[in-house]
Amino acid sequence: MIPIFEQAHSLFLTPTESEILDWFENHFPQCLYMNLEEMSDQLYTSSATIVRFCQKLGFKGFNEFKYQLRQQLKEQKNSALFSDNIIEHSLALFRDNLEQLDLDALQEVANLLSSDRTIYICGSNLSSLIASYLHTVLSSLDYSCILIEWQRLLGSLIGQMSRDSVLLIVSAHGDTQYYQSIMETAFERGIKTILLTCERDSPLVSLSSFAFFSNDHNQELANVDTNPRIGLFAIAQILIELVTLKKRHIFSTSHPTEEASIFPNEKD
Amino acid sequence: MFPLQLNDQIIQSLSKNELKILQYVYGHSSETCEMSIHEFSRVISYSPATVLRFCRKLGFSGFAEFKYALRTNASKQPDQESVDSASEKLPTSISMERQVMISAMFNNISGTSHLISQDLLERTFAFFDSDCPIYIFSPAGITEIPCDYFEKLLFSIGRQNVYRTASARMCEHLLYSVNRKALLILVSTSGNFGPTERLARVASTNNIPILAITPYSSNSIASLADINYRFFTDQRENSGAEFTSRLPIFYIICAIINCYLDYKQKGDSHDSDL
């Protein structure tokens, strides 16, 4: 119930005032858009009586009463939709995700992505969009890389990639079925592999050189994956920002040796 | 965290100068809290009267109340300790830069999330609930990816009749030939991309509602749209190759979908209660 109405019920009201209260409750929220004259016509009572009713509730007049009523309606609607504070909750999750990341390890990966090595970025289904985003932005930053969205193609390529290639896989589910043999081949051949996933228990983690986990929740609706992967997008964005920072340092410094001390080369 | 509950109506009401003031406050909220109105107006090179008008448009009685809102929110700022501790072994400059980068990223997302209102979501859900066709214009380049993301997530939540097209001419043709209620979704990182703006005009002329995701600054696409989601981001390019972060756009789409799922679940449970 709207708090103003609750408050009114707790007061001693004359029979006319009780009728006014009933009318407001029965004509809510339409009454919010009526003026005093229209209301007095409908209630068969004088404007002065309605104003006195508003003053009894602690308002200066009818307009203040209507304003408060609107505010309370707005708050109630807000709480109805955001009862679980979805937006605030997702913002808190977003912040938690940023805070749990190992920035040193991400910097090492950013160094790999901006090195002279051949970079392969892979992802399928919705994860392919994260791979595609990383690929497109890195290309805009002059770091050429190869995007692979077809798992069979990746399977045939893995045996031919040069040993100093870097393979970055985005897989929300840590999809063992598709990536296990690929990661095993990469591991045997000494290819650096980076895994971005939501699943800490994925068997792929032990096969990867670097693994980063987002706090996205793998969920399904009618057997369709509805995990929006915003945490994985955030990790991809951090990698982009670290690459950008490195690039800015390279351009801004006039002493390349100093740059090397700020951004140490990848550990082999 | 950007503290001000800005809706699209407020943003539309701000003049170019007032948007510049907003941009300054967005990047310097803690400094703003420490300044008098005269100091502030000197720093931003606008008169105290302009500052006052700006504060009033944002719903505050004056500069003091505006600062109070900024300060209140500053106390809710996320704890940076973990970021600091993760970076403490690094040289100060890079550690600082990383910290600033993470803070800026969070600030953009936080500011963006505060612009998502119940009213916007309700109007969006009305289109999702109907069976009207939803057209998404997906211009080639980085913006194509969030458009693709929106399309795939709409399919994943069971929405049918979603048509994404990369061709502006094809999209224009569709808008001219559609003979029933429809929705056009436009995403623009600058808010002024020529082909997208043109489609917004075509849709507007044909009375086709537009859902736009554009930056918080005043822009032509937003001025033509019916449902405006706004985001905070810093425009960036590398010798002509633009690489502005799309993370806030992904975040808006993700928030819309999450809220819609929740809204549907609540609706379903309400129906079963009846």
Side-chain angles (χ1 to χ4, degrees):
Chain A
M1 190 195 266
I2 299 285
I4 290 180
F5 293 151
E6 261 184 60
Q7 185 201 343
H9 277 290
S10 68
L11 296 172
F12 175 76
L13 300 174
T14 65
T16 316
E17 287 166 345
S18 292
E19 274 178 34
I20 295 174
L21 178 61
D22 283 348
W23 187 88
F24 271 119
E25 286 183 304
N26 293 331
H27 294 81
F28 187 77
Q30 305 94 291
C31 62
L32 293 175
Y33 306 100
M34 295 170 86
N35 62 29
L36 196 52
E37 207 172 312
E38 289 167 333
M39 218 168 270
S40 83
D41 282 350
Q42 291 222 8
L43 275 159
Y44 301 105
T45 186
S46 71
S47 303
T49 311
I50 299 173
V51 172
R52 268 199 303 278
F53 167 79
C54 298
Q55 286 169 341
K56 199 167 190 173
L57 288 169
F59 302 103
K60 279 184 191 162
F62 177 66
N63 282 338
E64 197 178 300
F65 169 74
K66 236 174 24 172
Y67 174 80
Q68 277 301 326
L69 216 49
R70 269 198 210 123
Q71 287 297 108
Q72 291 187 359
L73 174 68
K74 202 170 149 189
E75 279 165 24
Q76 206 169 58
K77 280 176 91 179
N78 277 340
S79 64
L81 186 71
F82 297 131
S83 57
D84 293 322
N85 276 325
I86 307 162
I87 302 278
E88 283 300 321
H89 181 65
S90 63
L91 188 61
L93 284 176
F94 184 86
R95 191 183 63 209
D96 291 348
N97 187 50
L98 292 186
E99 288 179 351
Q100 55 90 27
L101 291 169
D102 181 347
L103 288 179
D104 290 341
L106 281 163
Q107 181 70 67
E108 283 188 58
V109 172
N111 291 345
L112 282 170
L113 296 177
S114 52
S115 66
D116 292 334
R117 295 174 178 234
T118 308
I119 312 292
Y120 294 88
I121 302 179
C122 316
S124 56
N125 302 318
L126 204 54
S127 294
S128 74
L129 296 180
I130 299 156
S132 173
Y133 181 60
L134 197 52
H135 164 262
T136 313
V137 180
L138 286 176
S139 302
S140 299
L141 287 165
D142 308 322
Y143 298 111
S144 300
C145 42
I146 297 159
L147 176 69
I148 301 177
E149 293 167 293
W150 300 354
Q151 284 161 339
R152 285 194 175 183
L153 178 64
L154 179 62
S156 67
L157 271 177
I158 192 72
Q160 300 156 33
M161 287 179 191
S162 68
R163 286 176 194 276
D164 69 343
S165 301
V166 176
L167 176 65
L168 188 149
I169 292 176
V170 187
S171 172
H173 294 83
D175 218 331
T176 320
Q177 192 190 342
Y178 294 110
Y179 290 118
Q180 177 103 26
S181 63
I182 290 164
M183 292 286 271
E184 279 169 357
T185 310
F187 187 75
E188 283 160 16
R189 301 193 62 222
I191 294 171
K192 288 261 184 201
T193 49
I194 301 146
L195 178 68
L196 308 189
T197 183
C198 313
E199 296 292 340
R200 287 181 184 273
D201 300 332
S202 164
L204 302 181
V205 174
S206 59
L207 293 167
S208 57
S209 316
F210 296 92
F212 300 97
F213 310 98
S214 76
N215 60 356
D216 298 310
H217 182 56
N218 281 320
Q219 57 193 21
E220 285 188 354
L221 181 73
N223 295 324
V224 180
D225 181 6
T226 54
N227 174 1
R229 297 160 167 78
I230 194 68
L232 289 176
F233 273 109
I235 297 176
Q237 189 63 48
I238 290 177
L239 285 172
I240 291 165
E241 299 300 330
L242 292 172
V243 168
T244 310
L245 276 180
K246 179 178 175 182
K247 191 177 172 70
R248 203 164 63 211
H249 270 270
I250 292 171
F251 277 97
S252 64
T253 183
S254 52
H255 303 289
T257 47
E258 281 179 22
E259 182 273 320
S261 69
I262 296 170
F263 293 101
N265 287 330
E266 72 231 34
K267 292 170 192 167
D268 278 314
Chain B
M1 188 186 290
F2 199 60
L4 310 168
Q5 291 289 333
L6 300 176
N7 60 36
D8 193 57
Q9 224 172 358
I10 294 174
I11 290 175
Q12 297 275 19
S13 75
L14 298 178
S15 67
K16 270 189 177 173
N17 293 345
E18 288 161 345
L19 281 168
K20 281 181 186 160
I21 300 177
L22 180 66
Q23 199 158 13
Y24 177 84
V25 174
Y26 175 62
H28 305 85
S29 54
S30 53
E31 291 99 309
T32 305
C33 290
E34 304 304 321
M35 288 188 241
S36 70
I37 188 165
H38 292 286
E39 287 166 338
F40 183 70
S41 68
R42 248 197 321 273
V43 170
I44 56 167
S45 307
Y46 290 111
S47 71
T50 308
V51 175
L52 264 182
R53 262 197 307 276
F54 163 80
C55 295
R56 286 188 183 141
K57 279 190 183 174
L58 264 57
F60 301 102
S61 60
F63 190 62
E65 194 178 310
F66 172 70
K67 280 199 300 184
Y68 177 76
L70 279 178
R71 213 174 284 133
T72 310
N73 188 71
S75 60
K76 295 178 196 162
Q77 281 277 4
D79 185 12
Q80 286 293 333
E81 272 177 31
S82 52
V83 177
D84 293 344
S85 63
S87 313
E88 65 190 3
K89 293 173 197 162
L90 288 153
T92 320
S93 62
I94 188 69
S95 160
M96 282 288 288
E97 277 186 281
R98 280 187 198 172
Q99 195 180 319
V100 168
M101 177 266 285
I102 296 280
S103 288
M105 187 186 284
F106 182 76
N107 282 347
N108 282 333
I109 295 298
S110 171
T112 301
S113 82
H114 285 106
L115 295 177
I116 303 172
S117 68
Q118 179 202 351
D119 175 54
L120 280 177
L121 291 168
E122 280 181 354
R123 281 155 62 207
T124 307
F125 297 167
F127 284 102
F128 288 3
D129 283 342
S130 77
D131 65 349
C132 75
I134 296 178
Y135 298 109
I136 304 176
F137 175 54
S138 169
I142 308 177
T143 301
E144 186 181 3
I145 302 164
C147 293
D148 200 358
Y149 182 63
F150 210 161
E151 180 205 27
K152 298 296 184 296
L153 285 181
L154 281 171
F155 283 138
S156 76
I157 58 169
R159 181 57 163 87
Q160 304 294 313
N161 294 336
V162 181
Y163 307 97
R164 184 169 63 89
T165 173
S167 158
R169 291 181 73 173
M170 170 64 82
C171 195
E172 194 174 325
H173 170 77
L174 289 169
L175 294 176
Y176 275 124
S177 57
V178 68
N179 54 8
R180 52 182 290 212
K181 187 184 163 195
L183 176 72
L184 174 66
I185 296 180
L186 297 174
V187 178
S188 173
T189 313
S190 67
N192 298 307
F193 182 58
T196 310
E197 187 184 335
R198 182 176 160 75
L199 288 173
R201 291 193 191 286
V202 171
S204 188
T205 313
N206 288 286
N207 295 320
I208 296 169
I210 300 166
L211 182 156
I213 304 181
T214 62
Y216 76 100
S217 55
S218 175
N219 68 76
S220 51
I221 295 167
S223 67
L224 291 162
D226 304 85
I227 303 174
N228 268 306
Y229 289 94
R230 304 294 200 114
F231 59 85
F232 288 93
T233 194
D234 303 311
Q235 306 286 335
R236 297 184 299 191
E237 65 167 56
N238 171 36
S239 310
E242 176 268 322
F243 68 100
T244 302
S245 168
R246 265 58 169 191
L247 190 62
I249 304 179
F250 289 119
Y251 185 86
I252 288 175
I253 297 168
C254 171
I256 293 173
I257 297 296
N258 279 340
C259 288
Y260 185 69
L261 281 173
D262 183 74
Y263 154 84
K264 290 303 278 183
Q265 276 161 7
K266 277 183 183 157
D268 290 347
S269 63
H270 179 69
D271 289 347
S272 61
D273 289 347
L274 295 173

